């Protein structure tokens, strides 16, 4: 992302490629263009870095027979660390006034890992955590790519030096590094399908992209490109591949996987074409002044754009186009300032360059400063975490009754065998089954209380992102049809048939599976008619077991993460009501209407509307009776869920506890 060409070997087309890369990333994150694949600009940066670093190291090996690793690391430190730390420090400073103390605590950890170039490893764990905060609010998440790059810089020079000493020759060295790239790509491709965060963030699984650039810089392909008659056409084809990736790759496609080949090979083609120095190739366009100016600022633009848009989105959740343009202008101003007053002066400092020890000392000082400030920021946030803030935090962190009993009560995506978790009486008057996804799970808290209070037994069958409705859904994490859900559901039907419960209660995050006006998840959401048929099939299957069936309407979807929004409001001396969502924006009516219709036609089945537990006629409040209603946008906070036990019992079973389930 930041490797510079050696003096006298400047390639304007590479600077133009940097401009193309950072423009895609910024446009994607700012949501200002129709570039769903703009995020692959990071992959372009990786290839460019691999190209430049390998070319530079090969030149040094050819000249001196070795690589001065300490001097190399010193140059990298002067180039990367000053601007990086400056942005980290200002991001923490502004975060003090914008973020709640609990968020400041959490993101201070992010700044620590960002300062030490290990945030990609932190994000692997964080991303797969079910209760993790939303990534869109993490002002340091973009440092993952810098961490991957810096980790590559630590390993690649040593690898090249070892291989050079084996004297395999030009072709032999090329083949050895091609083997390294092939292994990295093959593993990355496989891991993308089974553990995507590892493929995305883990540097060895991104090494093939750097290696692809490195291979393009080597003598064998360079000599071929200079002689190849159609090198200019190759470059234009490369730009077309990059453009196709920008226009067609989406977040719904497993990435990096095989799809990352498009921007990577496209960038390699452009780099090889540039070796030809033809006037009719893309080099002539990429060398234009606008591309050169943006490319020169690409590192600073990358550092600044994300915290700017994150904080702007927190302060004004629905940014207009004009406001986004203002954010872009602010990013440009900040980038110019840091480039001219920090990035360039330190990089070109003669005093630092004179002795490697000075550059390495600077690296140690800056890293230590980042760590110290991160710890100080976390300590200050902890001091500011008053009782009200702690109450919000505890409400959001408290697990549902099922998860508190055993986290395995809610199956993960790859699990199929049903797990029945039981609560309440051993010799019950009535047995209730709760069946569904995480939206069924949040009802386990009040239903457990109901079962215990009435001498009943509650049995749960729960699986993450898996509806009780008999439909095949798309799983965005697996990036494919959720076959494990279909298999689990069939097995659960069998267990319920053997159990013969009195009542089966269904609940699911319906608006995430079905096309609707308030909750766009992906283009793979199904039609409401197909969903209604799935509900009907499930209700009929469960009725055939002799059980009464209750279908709970799904709850509201808030416009913001309520735990964060309420905590920020308290920190800024505002009322939590600023986090309320208008009922018209939080409640979807098309899906419930279809569900209600098929359930009412089934007989011995009940459709229970729970919206009034969360919303009045105009508003869905963030706080009711002093309790946080939802721990995020749509999962009920456990303390509030527990307070709903009496009202939920009346809604499902009527006033008479031992009476049957009312039907509609």
């Amino acid at each position: 992302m930041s490797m510079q060409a050696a003096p006298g070997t400047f390639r304007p087309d590479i600077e133009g490629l940097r401009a193309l890369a950072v423009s895609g990333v910024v446009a994607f994150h700012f949501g200002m263009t129709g570039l769903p694949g703009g995020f692959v600009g990071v992959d372009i940066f990786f290839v460019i870095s691999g190209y430049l670093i390998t070319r530079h190291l090969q030149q040094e090996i050819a000249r001196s027979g070795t690589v001065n690793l300490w001097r190399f690391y010193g140059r990298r430190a002067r180039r990367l660390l000053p601007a990086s730390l400056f942005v980290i420090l200002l991001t923490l400073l502004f975060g003090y006034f914008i973020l709640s103390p609990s968020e400041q605590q959490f993101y201070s950890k992010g700044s620590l890992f960002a300062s030490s170039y290990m945030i990609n490893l932190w994000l692997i764990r964080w991303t797969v955590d079910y209760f993790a905060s939303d990534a869109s609010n993490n002002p340091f998440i973009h440092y993952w790519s810098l961490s991957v790059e810096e980790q590559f810089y630590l390993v690649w020079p040593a690898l090249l030096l070892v291989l050079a000493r084996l004297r395999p020759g030009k072709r032999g060295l090329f083949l050895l590094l091609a083997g390294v790239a092939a292994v990295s790509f093959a593993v990355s491709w496989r891991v993308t399908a089974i553990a995507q965060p590892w493929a995305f963030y883990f540097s060895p699984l991104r090494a093939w992209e750097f290696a692809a650039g490195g291979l393009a810089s080597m003598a064998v392909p360079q000599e071929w490109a200079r002689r190849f008659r159609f090198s200019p056409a190759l470059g234009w084809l490369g730009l077309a591949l990059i453009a196709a990736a920008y226009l067609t790759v989406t977040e719904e496609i497993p990435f990096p996987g095989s799809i990352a080949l498009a921007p990577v090979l496209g960038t390699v083609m452009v780099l090889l074409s540039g070796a030809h120095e033809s006037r009719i190739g893309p080099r002539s366009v990429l060398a234009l002044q606008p591309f050169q100016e943006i490319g020169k600022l690409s590192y600073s633009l990358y550092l600044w754009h994300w915290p700017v848009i994150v904080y702007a989105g927190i302060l004004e959740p629905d940014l207009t186009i004009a406001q986004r343009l203002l954010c872009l202008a602010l990013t440009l101003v900040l980038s110019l300032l840091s480039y001219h007053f920090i990035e360039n002066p330190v990089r070109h400092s003669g005093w630092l360059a004179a002795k490697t020890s000075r550059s390495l000392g600077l690296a140690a000082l800056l890293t230590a400063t980042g760590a110290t400030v991160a710890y100080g920021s976390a300590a200050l946030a902890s001091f500011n975490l008053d009782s009200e803030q702690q109450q919000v935090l505890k409400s959001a962190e408290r697990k549902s009754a099922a998860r508190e009993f055993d986290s395995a009560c809610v199956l993960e995506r790859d699990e199929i065998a049903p797990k029945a978790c039981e609560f309440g009486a051993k010799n019950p008057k009535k047995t209730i089954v709760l069946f569904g996804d995480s939206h069924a799970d949040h009802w386990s808290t009040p239903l457990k209380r109901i079962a215990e209070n009435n001498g009943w037994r509650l049995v749960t069958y729960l699986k993450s992102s898996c509806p009780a409705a008999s439909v095949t859904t798309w799983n965005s994490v697996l990036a494919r049809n959720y076959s494990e859900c279909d298999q689990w559901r069939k097995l659960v039907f069998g267990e319920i048939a053997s159990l013969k419960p009195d009542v089966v209660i269904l609940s699911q995050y319906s608006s995430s599976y079905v096309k609707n006006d308030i909750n766009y998840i992906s283009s793979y959401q199904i039609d409401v008619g197909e969903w209604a048929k799935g509900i009907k099939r499930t209700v009929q299957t469960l009725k055939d077991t002799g059980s009464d069936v209750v279908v709970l309407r799904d709850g509201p979807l808030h416009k913001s993460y309520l735990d964060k929004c309420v905590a920020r409001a308290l920190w800024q001396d505002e009322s939590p009501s600023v986090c309320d969502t208008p009922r018209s924006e939080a409640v979807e009516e098309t899906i419930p209407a279809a569900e209600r219709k098929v359930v009412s036609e089934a007989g011995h089945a009940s459709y229970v509307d729970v919206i009034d537990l969360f919303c009045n006629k105009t508003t869905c409040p963030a706080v009711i009776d002093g309790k946080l209603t939802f721990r995020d946008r749509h999962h009920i906070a456990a303390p509030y869920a527990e307070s709903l036990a009496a009202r939920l019992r009346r809604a499902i079973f009527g006033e008479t506890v031992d009476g049957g389930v009312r039907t509609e």
Side-chain angles (χ1 to χ4, degrees):
M1 187 171 299
S2 51
M3 184 72 185
Q4 294 293 311
T9 60
F10 177 73
R11 287 266 302 269
D13 58 320
I14 293 179
E15 199 80 308
L17 269 175
R18 284 198 185 97
L20 198 61
V22 78
S23 296
V25 173
V26 173
F28 172 75
H29 286 150
F30 276 47
M32 295 175 60
T33 71
L35 294 181
F39 61 90
V40 306
V42 170
D43 302 81
I44 299 173
F45 277 128
F46 287 167
V47 178
I48 293 171
S49 291
Y51 182 92
L52 291 174
I53 189 178
T54 306
R55 183 177 70 170
H56 173 79
L57 292 169
Q58 282 186 299
Q59 290 170 347
E60 185 173 348
I61 292 171
R63 185 172 59 251
S64 64
T66 187
V67 173
N68 188 326
L69 294 176
W70 294 119
R71 186 169 61 194
F72 172 80
Y73 297 141
R75 284 197 302 267
R76 293 295 83 223
R78 294 199 308 272
R79 174 71 179 93
L80 296 173
L81 268 62
S84 172
L85 180 64
F86 180 63
V87 174
I88 287 172
L89 295 180
L90 284 187
T91 301
L92 285 172
L93 176 63
F94 285 109
Y96 179 82
F97 300 100
I98 296 172
L99 302 172
S100 69
S102 59
E103 289 177 295
Q104 293 170 35
Q105 269 189 321
F106 185 74
Y107 295 133
S108 291
K109 295 179 184 177
S111 73
L112 172 63
F113 285 102
S115 300
S116 55
Y117 286 92
M118 293 189 295
I119 196 171
N120 61 317
L121 304 178
W122 181 62
L123 288 170
I124 290 172
R125 185 206 66 79
W126 185 56
T127 303
V128 298
D129 181 357
Y130 181 87
F131 288 98
S133 306
D134 57 310
S136 62
N137 280 336
N138 185 341
F140 300 106
I141 198 171
H142 64 312
Y143 274 81
W144 77 266
S145 62
L146 304 180
S147 296
V148 167
E149 188 166 334
E150 195 69 8
Q151 290 158 21
F152 174 78
Y153 289 157
L154 287 173
V155 175
W156 194 248
L159 177 62
L160 284 178
L161 183 57
V162 170
L163 292 178
R165 288 179 175 173
L166 296 175
R167 300 183 184 280
K170 292 180 180 179
R171 293 183 183 277
L173 181 61
F174 180 85
L175 291 174
L176 285 171
L177 293 180
V180 171
V183 170
S184 173
F185 171 72
V187 177
S188 175
W189 189 359
R190 174 59 180 158
V191 172
T192 298
I194 59 176
Q196 192 264 348
W198 281 90
F200 195 91
Y201 290 122
F202 194 42
S203 51
L205 303 187
R206 288 287 193 150
W208 69 273
E209 301 184 33
F210 295 93
L215 290 168
S217 75
M218 300 181 76
V220 174
Q222 286 289 303
E223 291 169 5
W224 172 83
R226 280 191 287 269
R227 294 194 307 267
F228 186 48
R229 180 180 176 184
F230 298 105
S231 276
L234 184 70
W236 288 115
L237 178 59
L239 282 183
L241 274 176
I242 292 171
Y246 275 4
L247 293 170
T248 62
V249 176
T250 69
E251 293 178 282
E252 297 172 7
I253 297 175
F255 198 86
S258 59
I259 200 67
L261 283 169
V264 169
L265 293 181
T267 306
V268 167
M269 290 178 185
V270 176
L271 291 170
L272 288 174
S273 174
H276 194 272
E277 299 186 5
S278 170
R279 293 184 179 180
I280 61 173
R283 181 168 181 159
S284 58
V285 174
L286 293 172
L288 294 174
Q289 197 61 28
F291 284 103
Q292 297 302 293
E293 293 300 321
I294 296 174
K296 183 170 62 178
L297 291 174
S298 59
Y299 182 51
S300 289
L301 285 168
Y302 184 82
L303 288 174
W304 278 115
H305 85 283
W306 185 244
V308 167
I309 197 64
V310 165
Y311 285 163
I314 289 173
L315 294 172
E316 187 61 49
D318 298 314
L319 291 170
T320 65
I321 293 297
Q323 289 169 330
R324 292 177 189 273
L325 288 172
L326 285 174
C327 289
L328 183 60
L330 176 59
T331 300
L332 184 60
V333 169
L334 292 170
S335 300
L336 284 166
L337 290 173
S338 62
Y339 176 79
H340 287 292
F341 293 103
I342 296 174
E343 185 181 334
N344 249 10
V346 177
R347 180 174 52 171
H348 297 306
S349 169
W351 183 82
L352 288 171
K355 289 187 177 181
T356 299
S357 59
R358 293 173 182 172
S359 296
L360 295 176
L362 174 70
L365 176 63
L366 293 179
T367 302
T369 300
T372 301
V373 173
Y375 275 110
S377 174
L380 180 60
S382 179
F383 177 79
N384 289 324
L385 199 61
D386 62 21
S387 58
E388 284 187 304
Q389 295 280 345
Q390 288 176 350
Q391 183 180 356
V392 172
L393 186 61
K394 289 177 181 177
S395 294
E397 289 181 342
R398 180 178 161 186
K399 297 179 180 179
S400 67
R403 288 184 182 275
E404 192 172 39
F405 174 73
D406 186 346
S407 60
C409 287
V410 183
L411 270 63
E412 298 298 334
R413 296 176 185 86
D414 59 339
E415 297 176 307
I416 295 172
K419 180 177 175 60
C421 292
E422 297 189 11
F423 309 87
K426 298 298 182 183
N427 298 302
K429 304 173 185 176
K430 185 191 296 284
T431 295
I432 306 166
V433 165
L434 175 62
F435 176 27
D437 57 15
S438 63
H439 277 211
D441 172 45
H442 62 205
W443 290 116
S444 68
T445 302
L447 286 172
K448 174 176 177 287
R449 174 64 63 86
I450 292 171
E452 291 172 342
N453 288 348
N454 293 281
W456 299 347
R457 176 174 60 161
L458 171 68
V459 182
T460 65
Y461 291 101
L462 308 167
K463 181 172 172 62
S464 176
S465 303
C466 182
S470 297
V471 292
T472 298
T473 58
W474 175 269
N475 187 278
S476 59
V477 176
L478 300 173
R480 59 172 170 79
N481 283 339
Y482 198 3
S483 58
E484 293 88 346
C485 175
D486 294 339
Q487 296 172 61
W488 170 79
R489 189 188 304 112
K490 289 180 181 178
L491 293 173
V492 170
F493 286 152
E495 292 211 3
I496 292 175
S498 299
L499 188 63
K500 299 187 183 302
D502 298 277
V503 182
V504 181
I505 300 173
L506 311 182
S507 178
Q508 53 229 324
Y509 184 18
S510 57
S511 67
S512 72
Y513 307 117
V514 187
K515 294 174 184 175
N516 63 92
D517 294 331
I518 68 165
N519 192 22
Y520 175 81
I521 298 293
S522 78
S523 59
Y524 294 97
Q525 287 172 290
I526 63 176
D527 292 326
V528 67
E530 184 180 350
W531 176 256
K533 291 177 183 177
I535 293 284
K536 184 176 181 178
R537 284 191 290 267
T538 291
V539 169
Q540 187 60 53
T541 300
L542 294 173
K543 277 178 53 188
D544 290 344
T545 68
S547 303
D548 288 328
V549 180
V550 174
V551 179
L552 296 182
R553 176 178 176 169
D554 199 14
L557 177 71
H558 281 269
K559 63 183 179 182
S560 61
Y561 285 71
L562 295 192
D563 58 332
K564 294 179 175 60
C565 185
V566 171
R568 289 178 202 138
L570 294 172
W571 174 239
Q572 294 159 10
D573 292 325
E574 294 181 319
S575 168
S577 63
V578 300
C579 304
D580 296 352
T581 302
R583 180 168 176 145
S584 61
E585 297 175 21
V587 177
E588 209 284 325
E589 297 293 352
T590 306
I591 300 170
E595 292 175 336
R596 184 180 288 106
K597 184 175 185 296
V598 295
V599 172
S600 65
E601 294 171 351
H604 292 285
S606 173
Y607 190 77
V608 176
D609 194 327
V610 296
I611 288 296
D612 288 345
L613 300 178
F614 309 102
C615 308
N616 55 42
K617 292 182 179 180
T618 60
T619 307
C620 299
V623 174
I624 296 177
D625 296 332
K627 290 183 171 62
L628 183 74
T629 53
F630 290 83
R631 63 176 173 83
D632 49 23
R633 296 180 65 202
H634 51 85
H635 290 99
I636 311 170
Y640 184 68
E642 190 171 46
S643 73
L644 298 175
R647 295 173 65 189
L648 184 66
R649 179 187 61 74
R650 287 194 296 271
I652 296 176
F653 301 101
E655 293 298 332
T656 304
V657 172
D658 292 322
V661 178
R662 60 188 179 84
T663 60
E664 294 182 359

